[in-house]
Amino acid sequence: MKLTMQERSLPYDLVVVGAGPHGLIAAHTWLELFPESRVVILESEQDVGGTWGKGRIYPGMMTQSPVGKIEFSVYPMPPPEPTYLNLMAGSHVSAYLEAFSQHKAWAGKTLRDRVEFGFNVDRVTWTELDASRLYTIHDSTGESVTCRKLMVATGLTNVPHLPTFRMEKGHEFIPPVIHSKHLAKNSELLLSSAIQKVVVLGGAKSAFDTVQMLINGGKNVTWIIWEDGSGPACMGDPKPPPIFGLKNSSEVVSTRFISKLSPSIFEPVDNWARFWHQSKLGIALSAFFWKMITIKWWTAAGYDKDERLLPLKPSRPVYYVHTIGIANSADLWETVAKAKIIRGRIDVLSRKDVILSDGQEITCDALVACTGWDTRSSIFSREQSAKLGLPTDLSEESISDRQHWESLIGEADKEVLSRFPRLEAQPVFPGGRERTGSAKLYRSMVPTNPEFNDGSIVFLGHFISRDAMTLAEIQALWAVAYMNGKLQEKTQKEMEEEVALVIAWRRRRYLGDGHTYLFDGHEYSSQLLRDLDINDLRKGGGWRELFSPYDAHDYRGLIEEWKAL
């Protein structure tokens, strides 16, 4: 869709930035409640889906989530072709999101009809008008749209982080340097006869996928993982432990019983929480469970049986991991073991050589950087980000802001330790340096600054967890309710204390500020549902509530339930 001059001249009721899963379900939820609203979705790419967009799907791309875990409850996913342990091809998810964007119309327009593709948001400004705020979203070409409500759904996997490499003077590095975000767009080149030797940098799940694609494409791969970083991703065994009749490991922490074993700040302090996290017996049993998961996953990978895989052994046990993935093909370990894996650091690039700090020289035809994401916003300035509570560079934080928040976090830390005494122990593991501070968003969506917690702006998908599409769906309903004044109001003090509590907990639970709730997405969703006065116990009670794993189907009818309140 291309907006007309007349359409651009009038303020929209709602603008959504990003047509990935979070943006699509947010617009869908708004239109279900306000079908006559003027809504537009701004998307920089040429298709919907975000990470799962057609242009991001590379050869061999597979999901880490099985059927039922990567769809919306409002639109069931058609069964995929039979795959490994109910996982599926990335192209199936891409097709699902494309179909979702067209499956329903409001006032004669589907979601896809409301997307303006190729709109590269350059900046956002705002003015006060008639006692309300009017946002203007500017394109890099100079075009703009205005709105009264703004949902920013660009998430945390939008702006690539590419390290600055030192170049040998007078010897320009010739091979292309490609970030993993652009793997699909460059897959034809990488798999062509022009490329034979590839260096892959980084230890994230994307690095495993990249190495697997290149090895299957017949390439000679050298895989470099920073020796002083967080190490390789913890790759989970997709086969579940033999309990509760589980079908895959994604279901392990989707039962309430198992999720209780993770000390989550989002859960109420009930008898279960007191037993598992405050009694000696409960703490010991919980610790034993997490130890067994670590042993199971590491044994399945075979790190200690194959010396080629030893450099891929995670630096942290499962309980404390920073980055995680699922071994989503039967031959993953056999395939990646064919790469030459080095724990080291790049010193300099020269001509076609990658030279490491220990003097090793690796000749290559391409360098693929699987080096993560910049959590800072690309569409808000540093000053705007600070006002909105978005991550900013640690070196740019004001002293007064830092002192204010550290004082709040220090007080909140006492509450964390009173709930979870086990977290007082702070083991030290290798870890990369934090480049930015934490987001200061209430419920991970709303600025605490009184100037902006007026229901006019929210940020969606601003953290990483499992069951992302279910989280997106529940976040969307919470955000729409909040933006229309349907939630209990909180003071700035209450919101700041809640944000500080989450940061203090995350520093102890995951040993850093980070932006992930790896094992706590289900609990976070439950918290949002309780805010909405919607029952978060969706299994009908009894033993099913404890031992039956949750999936998207358990959340059918949320909008209707909320309407009926």
Side-chain angles (χ1 to χ4, degrees):
M1 178 191 76
K2 195 67 178 175
L3 299 179
T4 66
M5 290 299 293
Q6 182 180 6
E7 287 175 317
R8 290 182 185 278
S9 66
L10 298 172
Y12 279 85
D13 298 308
L14 173 70
V15 166
V16 179
V17 180
H22 277 275
L24 291 176
I25 193 62
H28 173 278
T29 303
W30 182 282
L31 288 164
E32 284 288 273
L33 294 165
F34 308 103
E36 301 299 322
S37 290
R38 295 185 68 245
V39 175
V40 66
I41 306 170
L42 307 178
E43 171 57 49
S44 61
E45 302 292 340
Q46 295 301 321
D47 43 51
V48 301
T51 300
W52 298 105
K54 187 176 178 181
R56 297 275 293 271
I57 306 298
Y58 49 82
M61 184 175 178
M62 295 288 292
T63 69
Q64 299 183 74
S65 301
V67 175
K69 295 282 189 181
I70 193 163
E71 62 188 85
F72 301 127
S73 73
V74 295
Y75 186 69
M77 175 184 279
E81 293 293 323
T83 57
Y84 181 62
L85 291 174
N86 272 348
L87 304 174
M88 68 196 79
S91 57
H92 188 76
V93 183
S94 177
Y96 166 77
L97 290 170
E98 175 64 37
F100 174 73
S101 74
Q102 300 182 55
H103 85 284
K104 186 172 183 177
W106 301 264
K109 287 185 175 182
T110 66
L111 291 177
R112 201 179 200 287
D113 294 333
R114 299 166 189 270
V115 180
E116 180 165 7
F117 295 105
F119 193 105
N120 291 284
V121 179
D122 180 60
R123 59 195 173 93
V124 178
T125 58
W126 50 78
T127 56
E128 303 300 323
L129 182 67
D130 299 330
S132 64
R133 186 173 297 105
L134 193 67
Y135 292 94
T136 302
I137 302 91
H138 303 264
D139 190 338
S140 55
T141 65
E143 296 184 341
S144 64
V145 296
T146 59
C147 64
R148 299 187 184 280
K149 304 284 186 182
L150 176 61
M151 291 180 169
V152 181
T154 50
L156 289 176
T157 56
N158 182 50
V159 181
H161 168 69
L162 195 63
T164 301
F165 298 105
R166 189 166 70 90
M167 304 290 179
E168 186 174 5
K169 190 174 182 180
H171 299 291
E172 181 182 353
F173 189 64
I174 301 169
V177 178
I178 301 165
H179 189 273
S180 55
K181 177 180 180 178
H182 308 298
L183 188 61
K185 293 178 180 178
N186 290 277
S187 60
E188 185 176 350
L189 168 66
L190 289 169
L191 296 175
S192 72
S193 59
I195 304 292
Q196 294 299 318
K197 297 180 179 180
V198 184
V199 167
V200 175
L201 175 64
K205 172 62 168 62
S206 59
F208 282 81
D209 294 340
T210 301
V211 170
Q212 190 173 25
M213 183 192 83
L214 293 169
I215 293 292
N216 287 335
K219 306 306 175 183
N220 182 310
V221 178
T222 300
W223 187 357
I224 301 171
I225 301 174
W226 299 126
E227 61 183 350
D228 54 353
S230 298
C234 181
M235 298 296 289
D237 178 11
K239 299 175 183 177
I243 55 174
F244 310 153
L246 302 178
K247 297 186 288 295
N248 50 67
S249 65
S250 292
E251 295 183 335
V252 171
V253 286
S254 292
T255 66
R256 285 202 179 273
F257 177 78
I258 296 299
S259 68
K260 292 287 187 182
L261 301 184
S262 178
S264 177
I265 206 69
F266 307 121
E267 285 282 271
V269 183
D270 56 15
N271 289 333
W272 278 102
R274 293 187 186 95
F275 172 73
W276 288 117
H277 305 296
Q278 295 180 11
S279 74
K280 289 184 178 180
L281 176 60
I283 290 172
L285 290 173
S286 173
F288 177 77
F289 166 79
W290 287 102
K291 183 178 181 180
M292 289 300 100
I293 290 293
T294 299
I295 291 173
K296 182 181 186 303
W297 286 7
W298 290 5
T299 301
Y303 301 120
D304 297 321
K305 291 183 179 179
D306 188 336
E307 64 180 11
R308 297 175 302 170
L309 294 174
L310 266 179
L312 294 179
K313 190 171 185 178
S315 305
R316 304 164 177 241
V318 173
Y319 186 80
Y320 286 114
V321 293
H322 267 191
T323 179
I324 197 169
I326 294 292
N328 50 10
S329 64
D331 63 349
L332 172 72
W333 297 111
E334 179 184 345
T335 302
V336 299
K338 295 175 182 178
K340 180 181 179 181
I341 306 168
I342 300 172
R343 299 292 287 267
R345 174 164 285 278
I346 294 176
D347 179 42
V348 65
L349 304 181
S350 175
R351 294 179 178 170
K352 295 190 70 174
D353 294 328
V354 175
I355 303 171
L356 305 186
S357 56
D358 64 1
Q360 288 188 72
E361 296 187 9
I362 304 156
T363 301
C364 68
D365 303 309
L367 191 161
V368 181
C370 304
T371 48
W373 309 92
D374 191 335
T375 59
R376 293 174 299 181
S377 173
S378 62
I379 64 176
F380 294 99
S381 67
R382 183 186 67 80
E383 293 77 12
Q384 289 175 329
S385 293
K387 285 184 177 181
L388 292 165
L390 300 178
T392 57
D393 193 290
L394 288 171
S395 64
E396 296 176 339
E397 286 186 340
S398 73
I399 295 175
S400 60
D401 279 352
R402 185 176 301 176
Q403 289 176 338
H404 171 71
W405 280 104
E406 289 302 324
S407 175
L408 289 173
I409 293 166
E411 286 299 311
D413 189 58
K414 299 173 185 176
E415 172 66 15
V416 172
L417 291 179
S418 72
R419 291 197 203 182
F420 310 115
R422 178 188 176 186
L423 297 183
E424 186 168 6
Q426 291 271 262
V428 177
F429 300 107
R433 181 182 65 86
E434 297 280 0
R435 296 187 295 269
T436 60
S438 290
K440 312 297 192 303
L441 298 172
Y442 175 70
R443 294 296 194 251
S444 299
M445 287 182 271
V446 176
T448 61
N449 184 338
E451 185 181 350
F452 295 98
N453 63 19
D454 56 356
S456 65
I457 186 170
V458 296
F459 298 87
L460 303 174
H462 219 73
F463 62 91
I464 298 172
S465 186
R466 57 188 171 82
D467 298 350
M469 288 197 190
T470 296
L471 278 172
E473 190 169 353
I474 295 172
Q475 267 203 334
L477 183 55
W478 191 99
V480 173
Y482 160 76
M483 297 183 93
N484 288 278
K486 302 298 183 181
L487 293 180
Q488 181 181 351
E489 290 188 10
K490 298 286 184 178
T491 65
Q492 180 183 9
K493 182 175 183 292
E494 289 173 325
M495 288 193 293
E496 287 187 344
E497 288 175 347
E498 185 68 25
V499 169
L501 186 64
V502 172
I503 294 174
W505 163 77
R506 196 164 49 211
R507 286 181 179 180
R508 289 191 175 273
R509 174 64 182 87
Y510 295 108
L511 305 179
D513 281 7
H515 301 90
T516 58
Y517 306 150
L518 291 180
F519 300 111
D520 306 278
H522 182 72
E523 295 74 19
Y524 170 74
S525 293
S526 289
Q527 183 184 62
L528 297 185
L529 290 177
R530 292 192 297 270
D531 286 350
L532 289 161
D533 288 328
I534 294 175
N535 184 17
D536 66 308
L537 306 178
R538 315 288 300 177
K539 292 291 189 180
W543 290 102
R544 282 181 55 80
E545 188 60 55
L546 275 178
F547 301 115
S548 179
Y550 271 77
D551 63 21
H553 308 99
D554 293 302
Y555 296 96
R556 286 177 180 167
L558 286 180
I559 294 177
E560 289 72 21
E561 288 178 44
W562 189 71
K563 282 181 179 179
L565 292 175

